[in-house]
Amino acid sequence: MTEDNNTNQNYQLSFNSYAAFDATTLKSLMQQRLIDGGVFTDQIFEGSNFNSLLDVIAYSYHVLLFYLNRTANEASFSSAQLYENVNRIVKILNYNPIGIQTAVLSFSAAAYEELNEGIYTIPRYSYFTVNDTNYSFTEDLTFTKSFSGAQVLNDLNDSGLLYQGSFVQYPLYVATGESFENFTIVSVDIDGNNDLIDHNNIHVYIKPNGSSWRQYKNVNNLYLENSLSESYELRLNENQRYSIRFGNGVTGKKLNEGDFVIVYYLKSDGPNGEFGSNNLNGNRLFLYDTEAYQEIMREVRAAGTNILGSDDAIQLNFINTLPSSKFTYQEDANSIKENAKNTYKTQYRLINSTDFEKYISNNFSNLIQDVKVVSNFDFASEHLNYLKDIGLSEPNMDSRILFNQVNFSTSCHFNNVYIYCIPKVPQNDNKNFNRFLNIGLKTKIKKAIDGIKVITSEIIFQDPVYVSVGLGISTPDEIDNRGLYPEIISETKLKIKKSKNSFVSDASIKENIVNIFKVYFDDIKLGKTLDISFLNSSLFKISGIYNFSTFRYINNQLISTDGLSLMVYNPIYFAPNEDIRIINQTLTLPFFKSAFYENYDVLKNNIIIE
Amino acid sequence: MSAVVIKNLNRLPKKRDHTYIDLELDLKINYSRNSSLNNINEQKDIRADYDINAIKNSIFNIFTTIPGQKILNPIFGLNLYFYLFNGISYNNGKMLGETILKGLTRYEPRVTVDNINITTDIENQQYTIDMILSVPTLNIEGLEVKGTLSESGFYFN
């Protein structure tokens, strides 16, 4: 059988034809080449040994080619799909994927009269435990008890937030002293799954050999730091564990051999840790206490800080009238790809409004529902102009605008960047709609932005203008002469004509209608388009509805229109015919406005089914 | 090293000593010619099965492959062990014979089956398969191929 055969070395294949083969076609090729070679004959018979051998070779090739294709795809930014690979690829772009963000709770605090007057600091990592769920303070919070009686602690309420979870002290790490020293937090449950560590609450403390403890700061890029910068890079790696990287003495301070490293991180309970309103009420604040913690805090804190003791802590009363925000999962592969290119484009610099909006929505996704960022010109020409149009002689004196100017504005009034945010913390009810970011959250976001924004741009927060929506219909005479008024909403009714032979109950139809409104309006956004056509078509999809119309009686005279008719108005600055209108089609709100449905109970009561 | 190929020079068809040539598994070396003075010229070749032995390979593979085992042809093979599992009986033996006839007709076109005789051996829990085959391309008629199917597998006697 052995013979020299030059024909066998001429494969007659193009250089890239390997990619065109699968197992079957490769087997055919091998069979054909064996036939051409003329040495063996039995490869064409399914039962032969040779045929079985070709099967194995062809299938192995097929599997290898599959892996080749997969790895080739997963190696490039544009085609990678797996989280692990996308995470690794974006490392080249210096993008740090965002991990889970725990639920956040705002609260109201008051001090009993037994607490002496003075300035107190609630130590970081102090916590509440309610039904095995912890909520913790992530930083030292200072408040003033200014008089002897019971006192509402407004400065604490304005600046403080509780984060779901409890702080965990990671075992002591002793540095080896190598450049860019790196270590990974491995924290797993009994099943080997990674614990949920809040992305924004990992704190690193270093005790250089023979010196005192220092708190290092988290930076996006060590290469931008100087040789003495006490900083580290934190990265959620492809295994969804956090790795901490220190400098090399040129970019970022280098750890020396024998330096101690202690990490505290906030371990979240995930969605199970979300709180309803009033869960916190009356619960006691516990102080975090370990030997290492006491030693670190003694050396890290400014001298003379009056730390709240356990005896003082029981003189504080905390309540939460609002439920917590929702737990936010980590970025998925698609989100990483989207954000990585944006971050690379801006290089962690915030230049235009999209940069600001993306940065805030990504990094504060557990706090912020929606955000809009506008220039000074847009703010003045639209928001201030709107306030002027509705009758404010001095728009700057509007309480919310003044409030934000006082807290955030500098004396310079040009080059401001105005940020409008809707917080994620839900409302208890829609009757007193005041979904505004508190000062604490605003300050937190401002601090994060200040280091990366354009130096000449000053950040000023603005609160959205919420407009109220309800059923509403009117006559031209009313609109032109007499003026619209909010009570039209309670006077207007929705008449539903049921389909013949429908077995759906009236109560069920009413419930479905209210649910459609809830889903539509609970997706609260700035500059939202109120699309009546969409609502109309959604109502038509409800089983049992044949037709519907909106109607109202004015002086015993019926006015009616097919489909939905809504009224939109500003519930704060209401005056007849000022920012109040009837809409039958589509209304796009300006960037500073958002809409909420005024009262679902009234809606339900005003649905009449025939 | 690239080869020089002159396409116009058609190769003459090789003259073979055998009609059917199959690999012998487990891929043993047939011969090794090696000069002790010059190791570089060592020649080796793989062992092959020829003609009727090549056909026997095929029959053995057909009998011992369970459908699904051959990755690129999942319907290939006969599940003969099924008839062992169902118990040794005259009826099962008859069905076994019919299955073999169908399988050989379908997967081994080189042979024609003249007769299949299945003998049941209840005591040893085995079937003896006695086949009379013809191989027209080899001018062979009335070739008797005997095998045993038992719990240890199928083997030619």
Side-chain angles (χ1 to χ4, degrees), chain A residues 1-3 5-7 9-10 12 23-24 27 36-43 45-55 58-59, chain B residues 1 3-5 11 14 16 19-25 31 44-46 48-50 54 57-58 61-62 70-73 76 109-110:
Chain A
M1 282 174 289
T2 304
E3 57 186 273
N5 188 349
N6 285 339
T7 308
Q9 294 173 26
N10 177 16
Q12 297 174 347
T24 317
K27 185 179 170 187
D36 292 345
V39 178
F40 287 97
T41 60
D42 279 18
Q43 61 277 354
F45 299 110
E46 275 297 307
S48 68
N49 288 341
F50 215 144
N51 195 291
S52 302
L53 186 69
L54 294 185
D55 266 23
Y59 191 71
Chain B
M1 191 175 71
V4 177
V5 179
R11 291 192 316 117
K14 280 187 284 291
R16 282 194 301 258
T19 307
Y20 301 117
I21 309 171
D22 191 12
L23 278 179
E24 182 179 318
L25 296 181
Y31 60 82
K44 289 180 180 175
D45 204 352
I46 199 161
D49 286 324
Y50 302 99
N57 277 348
S58 179
N61 287 338
I62 292 166
K70 200 165 194 283
I71 299 166
L72 299 185
N73 187 356
F76 175 83
R110 291 173 287 187

Side-chain angles (χ1 to χ4, degrees), chain A residues 2 27 36 75 200 232 272 313-314 404 458 558 568 602 606:
Chain A
T2 304
K27 185 179 170 187
D36 292 345
N200 297 314
Y232 62 92
N272 296 334
I314 58 175
N404 284 305
E458 294 302 331
L558 174 71
V568 182
V602 171
N606 284 358

Side-chain angles (χ1 to χ4, degrees), chain A residues 80-94:
Chain A
Q81 293 291 327
L82 299 176
Y83 180 89
E84 290 82 352
N85 297 323
V86 173
N87 182 303
R88 266 189 291 234
I89 290 167
V90 298
K91 200 173 179 182
I92 302 166
L93 302 177
N94 194 36

Side-chain angles (χ1 to χ4, degrees), chain A residues 74-126:
Chain A
E74 287 294 323
S76 72
F77 180 81
S78 56
S79 56
Q81 293 291 327
L82 299 176
Y83 180 89
E84 290 82 352
N85 297 323
V86 173
N87 182 303
R88 266 189 291 234
I89 290 167
V90 298
K91 200 173 179 182
I92 302 166
L93 302 177
N94 194 36
Y95 180 74
N96 292 332
I98 297 168
I100 65 108
Q101 294 181 61
T102 194
V104 177
L105 188 69
S106 61
F107 59 85
S108 300
Y112 295 120
E113 58 185 21
E114 286 79 4
L115 187 69
N116 294 328
E117 293 164 49
I119 298 172
Y120 297 90
T121 297
I122 298 177
R124 65 191 79 173
Y125 314 156
S126 303

Side-chain angles (χ1 to χ4, degrees), chain B residues 24-53:
Chain B
E24 182 179 318
L25 296 181
D26 303 319
L27 301 175
K28 290 175 183 165
I29 292 172
N30 192 22
Y31 60 82
S32 171
R33 295 194 192 104
N34 189 9
S35 164
S36 56
L37 294 174
N38 188 0
N39 280 332
I40 296 167
N41 288 334
E42 182 184 8
Q43 291 184 353
K44 289 180 180 175
D45 204 352
I46 199 161
R47 189 179 291 180
D49 286 324
Y50 302 99
D51 293 337
I52 197 66
N53 285 332

Side-chain angles (χ1 to χ4, degrees), chain B residues 87-90 119-128:
Chain B
I88 310 295
S89 68
Y90 171 81
T119 310
T120 57
D121 182 353
I122 296 173
E123 193 176 330
N124 294 313
Q125 288 291 297
Q126 64 181 28
Y127 293 105
T128 304

Side-chain angles (χ1 to χ4, degrees), chain B residues 90-105:
Chain B
Y90 171 81
N91 282 338
N92 282 339
K94 193 177 174 202
M95 283 193 284
L96 171 64
E98 286 167 0
T99 304
I100 289 172
L101 178 62
K102 275 186 195 166
L104 287 179
T105 310

